[in-house]
Amino acid sequence: MVNDQQVPPPAERLALIDLAAVRHNVRHFVRLTSPARVMAIVKADAYGHGAEQVARAALEAGATWLGVAHISEALALRSAGISAPILAWLHTVDTPFAEAVAANVDLGLSGWELESVVAAARELQIPARVHLKIDTGLGRNGCPEDKWEAFVGRALAYQEEGLLRVVGIFSHFSVADEPERPETDLQLEKFRTAVAVAEDAGVDHEVRHIANTPAALSRPDSHFDMVRVGLGMYGLSPFPEQSPDELGLRPAMTLKTTIANCKEVPAGQGVSYGLRYTTQEPTTLALVPLGYADGVPRVGTGGPVWVDGNVYPVVGRIAMDQMVIDLKATGIAGTGKDLVGREAVLFGGVGMPSVDEWAEACGSINYEIITRISSRVQRKYTDSEEAGL
Ligand SMILES: *Cc1c(COP(=O)(O)O)cnc(C)c1O
């Protein structure tokens, strides 16, 4: 009726993203790692939280760099009007290097890309900004140690020609989430050596960086000039033995929907495909309209769902669109209570099940649970600071 005050219809499936939590977490890392800079890692649509929104919140809170895997992700942020330095580090022969150079996107390079990037820079007459990556032990991208000196030499020759600027030197840890393991020390040693080799060759870098979330939290000696923080910014812990709360972090994502059906069933009722679950006694089943098409892993049977003050495990298989919880463990079963329309929370928020519990139920890690929540789930942004919470 009042056209300019249209309220959007309630979302049926919602990933609620608390940007105040993101800012809180970023400030936490800024304090913890200062004077090192914080690069906010917003690859994969900010681990499912929305790259543009998270990037802006992170920059407001003191992050000064952004990091993504793909150049396409960096270009999307540029198109959104974000002008902060952005590093992208995973390329293919089909990567549009020229677009990246033209958009002032920093490029992480491991070897073969150097010539392609230089060709783009030559064409555009704009020097490329590059970060040279050394493989200190992860065995994925990064220049092997025995080729490092030659790689640095090639880069410096192009820099001499005005075709690029070596802005950074970087690497990536393999076991920083297991602080007791010795390999992190080894990687640090190799990184220091690689930096020294580059400096001796004449590299005048702005930033040396190797730390991810676990290293930012547990290894001050790994901070160098910048830390690259992903998981921690989303308020989750990289350490199985430490909760986000214990680390001073606030989970940013809540995943919720409403109960879509609720019914009393007798003993012997099979549930969901394969009938892998059968009710042992008369009970009440409630239908949660989220499934693997929404990004909840099919293997997550047993994962917790909060409804009406209680937490129930998912029973039977998780299907493409839906999953079922059995209410028998509480007093609700048999009372004829109808839960249709009640809020169902899979994770997030105080007193709610956690992403880590879902990771456990799925045999996975918290990173994967949040990142795979699909575009079928609407994102909504809240700001608990503004709400005075
Ligand atoms: C994803 C990624 C990060 C962030 O790791 P977190 O553990 O989420 O902090 C940092 N650096 C690189 C190269 C990455 O690919």
Side-chain angles (χ1 to χ4, degrees):
M1 280 174 282
V2 186
N3 271 335
D4 57 358
Q5 283 193 354
Q6 274 175 1
V7 177
E12 298 185 72
R13 278 154 284 270
L14 196 60
L16 205 59
I17 313 298
D18 183 357
L19 294 175
V22 170
R23 288 200 301 271
H24 165 89
N25 298 328
V26 169
R27 284 194 297 264
H28 183 75
F29 280 97
V30 168
R31 272 194 301 271
L32 195 69
T33 62
S34 172
R37 285 161 260 193
V38 171
M39 173 186 279
I41 303 299
V42 293
K43 63 188 176 189
D45 203 25
Y47 295 30
H49 294 62
E52 187 188 337
Q53 290 85 350
V54 169
R56 289 190 198 287
L59 293 168
E60 278 166 27
T64 51
W65 284 69
L66 301 171
V68 292
H70 304 171
I71 282 175
S72 57
E73 297 175 307
L75 294 174
L77 292 169
R78 284 283 182 262
S79 296
I82 292 173
S83 59
I86 307 177
L87 174 65
W89 55 74
L90 184 60
H91 319 298
T92 71
V93 292
D94 298 314
T95 292
F97 289 115
E99 287 182 47
V101 173
N104 201 28
V105 171
D106 287 31
L107 301 169
L109 305 182
S110 297
W112 68 267
E113 316 96 320
L114 184 58
E115 273 65 36
S116 305
V117 168
V118 161
R122 207 187 289 278
E123 179 84 23
L124 288 164
Q125 301 274 302
I126 303 171
R129 290 170 50 90
V130 306
H131 300 230
L132 305 182
K133 186 172 198 176
I134 172 85
D135 182 1
T136 53
L138 183 56
R140 302 194 318 199
N141 244 330
C143 178
E145 283 165 277
D146 62 341
K147 301 213 164 55
W148 177 246
E149 201 170 345
F151 183 40
V152 168
R154 273 157 59 214
L156 282 173
Y158 291 128
Q159 179 165 294
E160 211 47 31
E161 277 188 70
L163 293 168
L164 60 79
R165 155 118 185 87
V166 180
V167 174
I169 296 170
F170 76 119
S171 190
H172 195 33
F173 283 127
S174 40
V175 296
D177 55 330
E178 300 173 73
E180 67 288 349
R181 289 181 64 165
E183 291 94 336
T184 299
D185 282 329
L186 243 141
Q187 284 196 259
L188 270 173
E189 199 179 304
K190 290 182 176 183
F191 186 60
R192 285 193 204 94
T193 302
V195 168
V197 166
E199 287 173 348
D200 287 348
V203 169
D204 177 22
H205 50 71
E206 287 171 27
V207 280
R208 300 159 298 167
H209 47 105
I210 185 169
N212 51 3
T213 293
L217 290 168
S218 69
R219 296 294 301 243
D221 57 339
S222 74
H223 293 171
F224 293 91
D225 306 306
M226 184 157 73
V227 296
R228 304 188 304 262
V229 178
L231 189 75
M233 175 170 61
Y234 305 106
L236 301 181
S237 169
F239 307 120
E241 306 303 323
Q242 278 178 294
S243 69
D245 195 43
E246 286 166 330
L247 293 169
L249 301 172
R250 281 165 49 188
M253 183 191 286
T254 296
L255 179 62
K256 63 184 187 177
T257 182
T258 57
I259 297 298
N261 197 15
C262 186
K263 63 186 177 193
E264 293 185 24
V265 297
Q269 171 73 55
V271 175
S272 194
Y273 296 128
L275 302 177
R276 297 301 179 92
Y277 180 80
T278 306
T279 58
Q280 296 301 302
E281 53 192 296
T283 184
T284 302
L285 299 177
L287 188 65
V288 180
L290 284 166
Y292 60 80
D294 304 293
V296 181
R298 179 173 179 270
V299 297
T301 299
V305 180
W306 179 98
V307 185
D308 218 25
N310 293 297
V311 176
Y312 306 94
V314 172
V315 294
R317 283 204 179 126
I318 292 178
M320 186 180 290
D321 313 301
Q322 46 196 299
M323 60 182 85
V324 174
I325 54 177
D326 182 341
L327 308 181
K328 76 167 183 294
T330 66
I332 291 172
T335 61
K337 191 168 175 182
D338 187 0
L339 296 183
V340 170
R342 294 299 176 89
E343 192 168 73
V345 180
L346 273 66
F347 56 78
V350 178
M352 294 294 172
S354 67
V355 175
D356 293 295
E357 288 169 78
W358 271 96
E360 171 86 29
C362 298
S364 183
I365 54 173
N366 48 15
Y367 289 80
E368 186 182 1
I369 300 299
I370 51 174
T371 303
R372 57 181 292 142
I373 299 307
S374 78
S375 58
R376 204 161 76 153
V377 177
Q378 191 180 319
R379 266 63 173 175
K380 190 175 163 198
Y381 294 88
T382 62
D383 214 320
S384 56
E385 279 169 355
E386 282 175 15
L389 298 173

